[in-house]
Amino acid sequence: MIKRIAVLASGNGSNAEHITTYFKGIETVKVVAFLSNKKMAKVLDRAEELSIPAFYFTKKAFFGSDSVLRLLQALDLDMIVLAGFLWKIPLDMVRAFPGKIINLHPALLPKYGGKGMYGNRVHQAVKDNGEQETGITIHYVNENYDEGAIIHQVKVTIEPAFSVETIAQKVHELEYEHFPKIIEKLLNLQNGEN
C-alpha cells in the first residue's frame, strides 16, 4: 500500500523538493501535494517543475473555515509534513490527523522555538547567544508552536566566527540529510516495520 504525503511550506520549498526527490525511487511512498499560504512562494513553482499538484490558500480559508482541512482529508494522507510552514496548525486539524503531522525546526528545541522563530531569525539568535552547537529538531505538531513531542534531533558544532549564512548552510545540510530518512522511518513504523 502506498503511503501518501502532503507538504506544507510558506517559502522557498527546498526541503519540499528534496523530500519529493528522495521518495521518487521508493514505490511505497508518494508526495501527492504541496500546499502554501503564500501565493508567490517558490514552493509552488517547484511543485510545477516536479509535476506535483499545488494548492494555495488564504488565512481566511485556513483559520476561518474547514476548506483546507477538507482538502487534506480528501487527499487521504498518511502524513502531513511541515517544511518551513509558518502558521500555527489549528486544533481541529491536529485532532483530525493525530500523530500524523510533523514539523522540521531549524534549531535544537526547546531552545529557539515559538512564534516568530523561523529561518535566519533562529540562526541570528543562536549566533547572538554564542551557542557552540545548533541543529535540527523533527517533532510532532500539537496546538502550540514547536511544543510537540520530539522525534529526532541532530546537532552540529558551530564556531564563533561563523556568519548567520554559514550557520544556515550547516543546518540546511542536516535538514536535507535527515528529514526524508526520518519521514521514511515514521511511515515504516505505521506499517509495523522496524
Side-chain angles (χ1 to χ4, degrees), residues 50-192:
L50 294 162
S51 301
I52 301 286
F55 303 91
Y56 157 74
F57 53 85
T58 64
K59 199 166 204 168
K60 185 177 179 185
F62 195 65
F63 293 109
S65 78
D66 65 350
S67 60
V68 178
L69 174 58
R70 283 200 322 270
L71 168 63
L72 291 169
Q73 289 172 323
L75 290 170
D76 191 26
L77 299 170
D78 296 283
M79 185 174 290
I80 298 170
V81 175
L82 309 185
F85 184 71
L86 303 183
W87 289 351
K88 189 162 75 166
I89 302 300
L91 185 56
D92 61 341
M93 198 173 288
V94 173
R95 287 180 174 154
F97 294 95
K100 292 186 176 183
I101 307 176
I102 66 170
N103 182 49
L104 172 66
H105 187 75
L108 298 171
L109 293 174
K111 287 183 172 184
Y112 308 108
K115 186 172 173 57
M117 291 304 283
Y118 60 88
N120 280 348
R121 291 180 181 193
V122 174
H123 308 314
Q124 186 68 58
V126 166
K127 181 172 176 57
D128 290 348
N129 287 325
E131 298 286 355
Q132 295 179 349
E133 62 183 13
T134 189
I136 61 169
T137 302
I138 300 163
H139 65 94
Y140 289 108
V141 172
N142 66 13
E143 66 275 14
N144 300 312
Y145 278 113
D146 301 326
E147 291 183 13
I150 292 172
I151 300 163
H152 190 74
Q153 287 187 314
V154 187
K155 298 176 182 177
V156 64
T157 301
I158 52 177
E159 305 291 336
F162 282 3
S163 67
V164 170
E165 292 73 23
T166 302
I167 295 170
Q169 180 188 342
K170 297 275 185 195
V171 170
H172 277 305
E173 288 168 5
L174 294 179
E175 292 171 355
Y176 298 155
E177 180 182 353
H178 295 276
F179 201 22
K181 292 176 186 172
I182 294 300
I183 293 167
E184 183 179 21
K185 184 177 179 183
L186 291 170
L187 291 171
N188 286 339
L189 287 174
Q190 285 180 4
N191 277 349

Side-chain angles (χ1 to χ4, degrees), residues 7-11 34-39 41 43-44 54-58 85:
V7 181
L8 275 65
S10 296
F34 288 177
L35 291 85
S36 184
N37 59 320
K38 302 270 189 193
K39 194 176 235 172
V43 70
L44 298 176
F55 303 91
Y56 157 74
F57 53 85
T58 64
F85 184 71

